Amino acid sequence: INAVRNNSKGMLMQKAAKGFFLVHAFSLVSVAAVFYWMIFHHYFEYSYVWEYSSRSLPVKYIISCFWAGQEGSFLVWAICQAILGVILVFIAKEWENHVMTIISLSQVFVTSMMLGIHLGSLKIGGSPFLFLRETMASIQGTIFEHPDYLTTLTDGNGLNPLLENIWMTIHPPILFLGYALALVPFAYAIAAMFRKEYFSWIRIALPWTLLSATVLGAGILLGGAWAYVSLTFGGFWSWDPVENSSLVPWLTLIASFHFLIIARKQQYALLTSYIFICLSYVLVL
């Protein structure tokens, strides 16, 4: 009887956890919808909208205003991870509990970058919904002293001219999707340790590792195309720190994929597979 009760309680908690994660994913998508509404309708009283958009921008560049700043980029990353989490909720089966625990913990980290909470001198993340007046040390002697300041706030600062490029409309979301995909094989690797199933995860992680490397590689190529057109690097690739920071996890993902293939037949590659899978996600962070 106790075993049945415990099993029933466990299933109830699992269903509740599923529901909470689905609500979390829906909430992130809703936040993104509100965020786009603010940008497209030129709510310049918000700092992020004023800083990265203007009325003169074409629609294709207004779209890229979403990820022009750090807060918007983290939101894209969080949404990508949330969508992958929703997929895994329905396909992970017996791995669900352990894998979704890792996914959820990663979501806690990424979404904390958008909280904008101040605890004394400690600042946790930066909110994309700050008002422009809240970003100023003092509003004395500024338009924000007047209750009708919105009537004079008619346009925004606009997007950085270097970002007004078609590649910047598609490069960042693909890059962040590649980053998010790197979480999946990492989650399976950690879950395998908890479950003490050191080989069965390889078959599941292989396609996710290849998909992550492929998408991240595509994002890097698109970023290189943007750099070639917009920047003064003098070439497609110039070992810029930002370029390198996306290339290195791609290299470790490719190495992970090869080690996973070997580990299916040769046990000696198992430890190296774990190391490179974990290293890839650490480098993404």
Side-chain angles (χ1 to χ4, degrees):
I1 292 173
N2 286 335
V4 171
R5 284 177 179 172
N6 289 335
N7 186 51
S8 177
K9 186 178 179 180
M11 290 178 65
L12 185 63
M13 291 180 67
Q14 187 177 14
K15 286 182 179 179
K18 257 185 197 178
F20 278 122
F21 193 88
L22 293 175
V23 169
H24 162 74
F26 177 78
S27 300
L28 281 175
V29 173
S30 300
V31 167
V34 171
F35 200 36
Y36 258 130
W37 178 271
M38 288 163 43
I39 293 171
F40 272 95
H41 288 80
H42 308 300
Y43 287 180
F44 295 122
E45 62 266 36
Y46 289 95
S47 175
Y48 196 97
V49 179
W50 178 85
E51 188 172 356
Y52 298 110
S53 72
S54 67
R55 295 184 184 276
S56 60
L57 280 177
V59 172
K60 61 183 178 181
Y61 296 142
I62 289 181
I63 292 173
S64 59
C65 290
F66 190 103
W67 43 77
Q70 189 179 62
E71 298 88 348
S73 297
F74 274 114
L75 182 53
V76 172
W77 189 2
I79 290 173
C80 288
Q81 286 194 165
I83 292 171
L84 291 172
V86 170
I87 294 170
L88 288 168
V89 160
F90 293 102
I91 69 170
K93 297 179 181 178
E94 69 272 12
W95 290 85
E96 181 186 340
N97 288 349
H98 292 91
V99 166
M100 288 308 299
T101 298
I102 306 303
I103 300 286
S104 299
L105 288 173
S106 179
Q107 282 296 87
V108 169
F109 172 77
V110 174
T111 53
S112 72
M113 296 296 103
M114 300 177 288
L115 292 179
I117 295 175
H118 293 261
L119 300 172
S121 60
L122 176 65
K123 180 184 177 185
I124 304 175
S127 171
F129 296 102
L130 281 177
F131 285 109
L132 188 57
R133 66 174 183 266
E134 294 178 302
T135 62
M136 308 187 71
S138 173
I139 62 171
Q140 299 299 320
T142 68
I143 62 171
F144 302 109
E145 285 184 312
H146 310 291
D148 62 341
Y149 73 87
L150 289 179
T151 58
T152 59
L153 199 63
T154 57
D155 205 356
N157 185 53
L159 198 63
N160 186 320
L162 292 176
L163 302 181
E164 293 182 23
N165 183 288
I166 190 61
W167 297 117
M168 284 306 293
T169 306
I170 54 178
H171 155 62
I174 291 177
L175 193 73
F176 279 104
L177 177 58
Y179 289 155
L181 282 163
L183 171 62
V184 180
F186 171 77
Y188 273 104
I190 301 299
M193 294 182 194
F194 280 106
R195 290 166 58 93
K196 296 182 180 179
E197 296 183 21
Y198 303 117
F199 287 93
S200 57
W201 70 283
I202 295 175
R203 177 184 56 82
I204 308 170
L206 259 173
W208 286 106
T209 306
L210 179 59
L211 182 61
S212 176
T214 302
V215 174
L216 184 56
I220 291 170
L221 287 172
L222 292 171
W226 164 72
Y228 184 74
V229 173
S230 296
L231 302 182
T232 56
F233 289 169
F236 181 83
W237 194 272
S238 66
W239 305 104
D240 177 75
V242 177
E243 292 176 330
N244 294 343
S245 65
S246 57
L247 175 67
V248 174
W250 178 81
L251 291 172
T252 56
L253 279 168
I254 293 296
S256 301
F257 180 70
H258 286 81
F259 282 123
L260 285 171
I261 292 174
I262 298 169
R264 290 190 303 177
K265 302 292 184 182
Q266 304 291 335
Q267 190 172 349
Y268 72 85
L270 182 63
L271 177 60
T272 320
S273 300
Y274 273 108
I275 291 172
F276 273 83
I277 285 288
C278 294
L279 183 62
S280 296
Y281 189 63
V282 169
L283 288 170
V284 162
L285 295 181

